[in-house]
Amino acid sequence: MTAPESHPQRLRVAHLNPNTPTAFHLRPGDQPRADIATELGLDGLTRLDFQGQVRAEGRDGWLLTGKLQARVTQPCVVTLKPVRTDIADDVRIRFTPHMPDVEAEEVEMLDETLEPLGNFIDLTAIMVEALSLALPEYPRAEGARLDDVAPDIAAEPAADTRRPFAGLDQLLKKDGGES
């Protein structure tokens, strides 16, 4: 994760007011954005903005709701040309001190917005994780097609992979005859 010194923004849970939402707004400068881009393997991260609020939920839980906006540059998976993508994603995380036991043999699917509650809520870590989850997995330049780059691969017949041990009996017979 990005070092806390590069863009510290952690909320101490004990200092949060359960009666009033705590607003936050993170807009990292050039160097922290460059560090995050390097961490995530991006060619560029020209804009990153994360804002929202943390408010009490129930007796001892907290709910973070926010909006992540970013502009990233990644290499095209086909041509390696730079692909710029604008990201706008809603973030919702529920923090609870009562996490279900995931070690049990039969576990129901956990709520993916549920996180364990510690002493701090690290907004920077949440921002970086939300960005990494919102990134396009296979960015593609406009008009880029795989068959344009590698037409020879598509023309070759597919190898028969249904018989991985074909010919093994012949080798065993040959090897057995020499003993």
Side-chain angles (χ1 to χ4, degrees), residues 2-10 25-29 32-33 35-36 48 122-125 127:
T2 302
E5 303 81 48
S6 67
H7 190 69
Q9 188 60 33
R10 299 183 336 159
H25 189 178
L26 278 67
R27 187 179 289 159
R33 278 197 328 270
D35 293 343
I36 293 168
L48 181 57
D122 189 340
L123 299 174
T124 301
M127 175 181 64

Side-chain angles (χ1 to χ4, degrees), residues 1 11 19 34 44 46 50 82 97 105 119 121 134 138-139 153 156 158 171:
M1 279 297 176
L11 301 176
N19 299 319
T46 55
F50 183 45
E105 285 191 29
N119 293 328
I121 295 176
Y138 304 104
I153 294 173
E156 292 179 16
L171 287 174

Side-chain angles (χ1 to χ4, degrees), residues 43 74-83 138-142 144:
D43 290 347
Q74 298 172 278
C76 171
V77 294
V78 177
T79 64
L80 298 180
K81 292 180 181 177
V83 177
Y138 304 104
R140 205 173 265 209
E142 189 174 323

Side-chain angles (χ1 to χ4, degrees), residues 88-126:
D89 203 22
D90 292 323
V91 179
R92 179 182 169 88
I93 301 174
R94 294 176 33 228
F95 294 93
T96 180
H98 311 291
M99 286 295 290
D101 182 20
V102 294
E103 299 296 321
E105 285 191 29
E106 289 187 29
V107 177
E108 277 188 41
M109 289 298 292
L110 295 177
D111 180 356
E112 65 184 30
T113 65
L114 202 58
E115 291 286 333
L117 179 65
N119 293 328
F120 293 94
I121 295 176
D122 189 340
L123 299 174
T124 301
I126 293 168

Side-chain angles (χ1 to χ4, degrees), residues 51-68:
Q51 59 184 330
Q53 67 178 7
V54 176
R55 65 176 170 84
E57 181 179 66
R59 286 190 359 219
D60 51 4
W62 295 90
L63 175 66
L64 178 144
T65 54
K67 182 77 168 177
L68 175 78

